[in-house]
């Protein structure tokens, strides 16, 4: 067993939707907008599956604060450039009233192949997410942590939920995005592998069969990156507020550090059956933080506020070591004030109570999402780097 400490570096990817500032409908990114983004952000921005989407990725960051500065810079640039074209970006996983039938694919070979391979499933992919890469350079450590970390994925999902609506309807779910994504093959909770070689052999069978060209078309909630020596969490909705996103990033990094710390002491987190973890995954998808998850040790549903307190205390030592204790503690605010899905529903309800139609109320939701995209960015851009 490797005793080498991983780097725990971070890379964060966020996917955004583009809307017309006047109509608040989704709009395709013009080539000139993408060219301006590419020129300013130098390889940190790319088109996404649909023309109304855009993706950004941080540089390799040592700390959550560093990732926050980079994301603030990226969000600021995207907002400014989009504004020049009468558009605005949303960091949200589903647009409240958009119709996926009316969207168009980005004309890239990878996306044409996805449409060909996945058919109608691909055409419904009007969703955005946040992916968090954590640097774990040893293969066996990475695969061992991948077996243990799924227990915590429902907690991270619950905090991130931002997709209650689909085509004007309140779905009753806090993360409808996951429902759409789960129609894809090779999604959901990852299988458990006993070694890195077993993982590689399994993936290679699919590659040799000609079904995928590499591991980037394996879309589990948690996977070893096919490009980087990282373990990549993919379960989360994208967060409209950067502060909320960074709380989730900090928890992700700290949980992985905690699991590594246990491993270095020849200990480990208990691995529960995917059936049980899947039940908590569903509860997080359905309720966000407004209802509890199952504590498998107690055999009972525990309120999410109590669970997050336990989790924060569990990773205290690790968050302090990583320099993200403040960000980890800020997860409490999400529980206290609600997730994006909770805020969106409250805004719609308030607007309807004041006489708005459902469509008018959902446009108020979009306006709030536009405002939240840039909330707190200046503070993070101007934050002093931590040294020493």
């Amino acid at each position: 067993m490797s005793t080498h400490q991983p780097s725990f570096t971070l890379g964060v990817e966020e996917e955004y939707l583009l809307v017309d500032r006047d109509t608040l409908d989704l709009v395709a990114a013009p080539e000139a907008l993408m060219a301006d983004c590419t020129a300013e952000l130098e390889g940190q921005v790319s088109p996404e599956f649909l023309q109304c989407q855009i993706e950004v990725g941080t540089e390799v960051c040592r700390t959550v604060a560093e990732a926050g500065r980079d994301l603030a810079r990226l969000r600021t640039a995207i907002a400014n450039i989009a504004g020049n074209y009468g558009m605005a970006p949303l960091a949200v996983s589903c647009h409240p009233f958009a119709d996926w039938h009316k969207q168009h694919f980005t004309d890239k070979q990878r996306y044409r192949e996805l449409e060909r391979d996945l058919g109608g499933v691909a055409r419904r992919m009007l969703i955005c997410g946040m992916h968090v890469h954590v640097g774990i350079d040893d293969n066996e450590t990475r695969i061992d942590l991948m077996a243990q970390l799924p227990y915590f994925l429902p907690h991270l999902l619950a905090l991130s939920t931002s997709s209650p609506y689909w085509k004007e309807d309140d779905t009753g779910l806090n993360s409808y995005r996951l429902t759409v994504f789960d129609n894809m093959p090779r999604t959901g909770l990852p299988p458990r592998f006993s070694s890195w070689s077993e993982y590689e052999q399994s993936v290679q069978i699919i590659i040799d069969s000609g079904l995928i060209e590499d591991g980037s078309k394996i879309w589990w909630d948690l996977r070893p990156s096919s490009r980087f020596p990282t373990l990549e969490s993919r379960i989360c909705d994208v967060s409209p507020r950067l502060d909320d996103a960074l709380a989730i990033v900090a928890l992700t990094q700290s949980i992985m550090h905690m699991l590594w710390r246990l491993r270095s002491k020849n200990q480990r987190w208990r691995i529960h059956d995917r059936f049980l973890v899947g039940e908590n995954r569903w509860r997080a998808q359905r309720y966000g933080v407004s209802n509890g998850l199952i504590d498998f040790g107690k055999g009972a549903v525990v309120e999410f506020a109590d669970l997050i307190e336990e989790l924060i205390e569990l990773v205290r030592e690790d968050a302090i070591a990583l320099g993200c204790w403040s960000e980890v503690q800020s997860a409490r605010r999400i529980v206290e004030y609600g997730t994006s899905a909770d805020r969106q529903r409250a805004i719609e309800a308030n607007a309807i109570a004041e006489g708005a139609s459902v469509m008018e109320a959902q446009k108020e939701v979009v306006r709030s999402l536009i405002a939240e995209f840039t909330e707190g960015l200046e503070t993070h851009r101007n934050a002093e780097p931590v040294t020493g």
Side-chain angles (χ1 to χ4, degrees):
M1 184 178 73
S2 172
T3 58
H4 169 70
Q5 178 167 341
S7 65
F8 296 107
T9 51
L10 288 166
V12 183
E13 298 164 350
E14 290 189 319
E15 298 163 344
Y16 308 140
L17 296 169
L18 292 171
V19 298
D20 183 281
R21 275 197 167 271
D22 294 326
T23 68
L24 305 175
D25 289 320
L26 291 179
V27 61
E31 290 185 9
L33 181 149
M34 287 305 308
D36 290 348
C37 290
T38 300
E40 180 164 342
L41 299 178
E42 299 182 356
Q44 289 185 263
V45 64
S46 63
E48 250 299 327
F49 188 53
L50 296 172
Q51 292 178 6
C52 59
Q53 295 173 301
I54 191 168
E55 180 179 9
V56 300
T58 67
E59 301 284 2
V60 177
C61 301
R62 295 168 300 165
T63 64
V64 173
E66 189 176 326
R69 287 193 296 275
D70 205 14
L71 281 172
R73 179 180 63 85
L74 293 168
R75 284 195 180 203
T76 300
I78 296 295
N80 290 341
I81 294 170
N84 294 336
Y85 292 85
M87 302 175 186
L90 308 179
V92 67
S93 283
C94 291
H95 185 283
F97 54 84
D99 186 344
W100 60 268
H101 292 93
K102 299 178 181 179
Q103 308 309 315
H104 302 284
F105 294 102
T106 300
D107 189 17
K108 289 180 66 176
Q109 181 177 351
R110 175 179 173 84
Y111 300 138
R112 289 195 300 271
E113 290 174 351
L114 282 175
E115 182 184 14
R116 179 200 66 206
D117 293 344
L118 302 176
V121 171
R123 291 191 287 273
R124 296 181 68 245
M125 292 292 289
L126 185 54
I127 56 175
C128 295
M130 178 181 75
H131 306 156
V132 181
H133 292 257
V134 179
I136 310 287
D137 50 356
D138 178 70
N139 290 338
E140 297 301 336
T141 302
R142 199 179 318 141
I143 213 70
D144 186 33
L145 267 55
M146 189 174 85
Q148 298 178 66
L149 195 131
Y151 177 89
F152 300 98
L153 292 178
H155 301 68
L156 299 173
L157 170 64
L159 292 166
S160 75
T161 50
S162 70
S163 50
Y165 299 108
W166 185 253
K167 292 178 61 178
E168 298 183 44
D169 290 333
D170 186 333
T171 66
L173 279 66
N174 272 30
S175 176
Y176 191 72
R177 159 190 157 266
L178 213 58
T179 299
V180 177
F181 198 70
D182 282 348
N183 284 288
M184 300 266 281
R186 303 178 294 279
T187 57
L189 294 168
R192 182 183 175 188
F193 298 100
S194 60
S195 66
W196 180 257
S197 62
E198 183 186 5
Y199 162 74
E200 284 194 311
Q201 289 167 10
S202 297
V203 173
Q204 196 62 45
I205 289 173
I206 308 297
I207 294 173
D208 291 344
S209 299
L211 303 180
I212 61 175
E213 66 271 18
D214 57 48
S216 68
K217 287 189 176 178
I218 293 172
W219 299 299
W220 299 324
D221 296 339
L222 180 70
R223 71 178 185 185
S225 171
S226 63
R227 295 188 297 157
F228 310 112
T230 64
L231 192 53
E232 178 188 4
S233 171
R234 302 172 50 84
I235 197 170
C236 289
D237 280 7
V238 64
S239 296
R241 294 174 174 169
L242 181 56
D243 281 344
D244 291 349
L246 295 178
I248 295 164
V249 171
L251 275 172
T252 304
Q253 186 192 36
S254 297
I255 291 168
M256 290 199 196
H257 190 281
M258 180 270 294
L259 294 175
W260 169 80
R261 174 167 54 84
L262 292 178
R263 175 182 166 87
S264 69
K265 298 177 181 179
N266 202 28
Q267 300 171 347
R268 63 190 295 107
W269 194 260
R270 181 176 178 182
I271 298 176
H272 293 275
D273 190 90
R274 291 175 79 243
F275 166 71
L276 292 175
V277 178
E279 190 67 21
N280 270 347
R281 182 183 188 267
W282 162 248
R283 292 186 63 82
Q285 181 181 352
R286 172 71 172 85
Y287 300 112
V289 301
S290 66
N291 219 320
L293 302 178
I294 306 167
D295 183 313
F296 301 133
K298 296 177 181 177
V301 173
V302 174
E303 288 297 320
F304 197 87
D306 295 332
L307 292 174
I308 202 65
E309 287 300 325
E310 291 178 1
L311 180 55
I312 288 171
E313 187 58 34
L314 183 68
V315 301
R316 173 196 289 265
E317 175 183 341
D318 309 279
I320 292 171
L322 293 165
C324 61
W325 178 231
S326 175
E327 291 90 343
V328 162
Q329 292 182 89
S330 70
R332 292 188 179 107
R333 290 201 300 267
I334 302 176
V335 180
E336 181 178 358
Y337 297 112
T339 68
S340 171
D342 298 322
R343 294 195 302 276
Q344 290 177 52
R345 287 193 173 106
I347 290 167
E348 182 193 44
N350 288 339
I352 289 174
E354 293 175 1
S357 67
V358 171
M359 177 56 71
E360 290 168 340
Q362 290 191 354
K363 287 190 174 184
E364 286 302 312
V365 171
V366 175
R367 291 188 183 98
S368 73
L369 293 169
I370 291 173
E372 288 186 346
F373 186 90
T374 55
E375 190 176 307
L377 297 190
E378 185 174 357
T379 299
H380 288 285
R381 286 201 314 272
N382 297 330
E384 291 293 327
V386 178
T387 60

